[in-house]
Amino acid sequence: MAVVEVPGPEPEWEPAPSYQGGKRNPAFQQSMWEFAASSFRLVAGLKPPLEALAARLRLTVEQGWEDLGPVDVAMFRVERADFALSRLEGAVVPGTFVWVRRSAEDVEGALDILLDALGLDREALAFRGTVETGFEVFDGSSG
């Protein structure tokens, strides 16, 4: 079998995972998280760090990226609900984002399933809501 030599990249091509003003590189690479995130919607934030939540459920945290920078993510299922927990590196908002599969009809029920699996109650929430409905922020000063 003959060896086929693959030419190197053209000198003017930008790296595939970065913004390409002129789109000179024919490939635009997305991280696994960027690709998967389109199937999920942000529904809440949890106060505990991602590492503690992942350790509780013995999840593997993967690193990817998105437009805003590096992101750590764990995607998993509890009962019949699909979740993702994420933390954006250098985020202004501390804590962990909770994502639920877009097809989930009962988001509050899914959130209860997750909190139960994590051994937490709603006091662990930093915020909840969706982009469509708006977010309710919990600052800890009310009961």
Side-chain angles (χ1 to χ4, degrees):
M1 197 170 206
V3 174
V4 176
E5 294 290 324
V6 177
E10 301 299 323
E12 69 274 7
W13 286 359
E14 297 94 341
S18 65
Y19 174 74
Q20 300 175 28
K23 295 288 282 176
R24 292 179 286 254
N25 185 337
F28 180 74
Q29 183 178 4
Q30 291 183 295
S31 75
M32 288 185 288
W33 168 242
E34 275 184 310
F35 187 78
S38 65
S39 298
F40 289 87
R41 61 182 153 170
L42 180 63
V43 297
L46 290 172
K47 295 172 187 172
L50 176 59
E51 294 80 11
L53 299 168
R56 161 74 177 173
L57 298 177
R58 296 183 182 247
L59 300 171
T60 298
V61 176
E62 300 174 274
Q63 188 167 61
W65 67 87
E66 58 183 40
D67 289 346
L68 299 174
V71 62
D72 294 324
V73 180
M75 292 182 284
F76 57 99
R77 176 176 286 172
V78 177
E79 295 179 25
R80 292 186 176 197
D82 294 314
F83 298 97
L85 299 176
S86 72
R87 179 192 59 223
L88 184 62
E89 193 174 293
V92 178
V93 179
T96 303
F97 291 152
V98 177
W99 305 76
V100 175
R101 185 166 299 282
R102 288 190 181 280
S103 60
E105 294 179 18
D106 182 7
V107 173
E108 289 300 315
L111 195 52
D112 287 337
I113 288 169
L114 176 63
L115 290 172
D116 186 54
L118 290 169
L120 300 172
D121 58 26
R122 290 196 173 241
E123 288 184 11
L125 292 172
F127 67 88
R128 73 173 188 180
T130 66
V131 171
E132 296 83 13
T133 63
F135 294 101
E136 179 183 3
V137 176
F138 305 108
D139 62 7
S141 62
S142 60

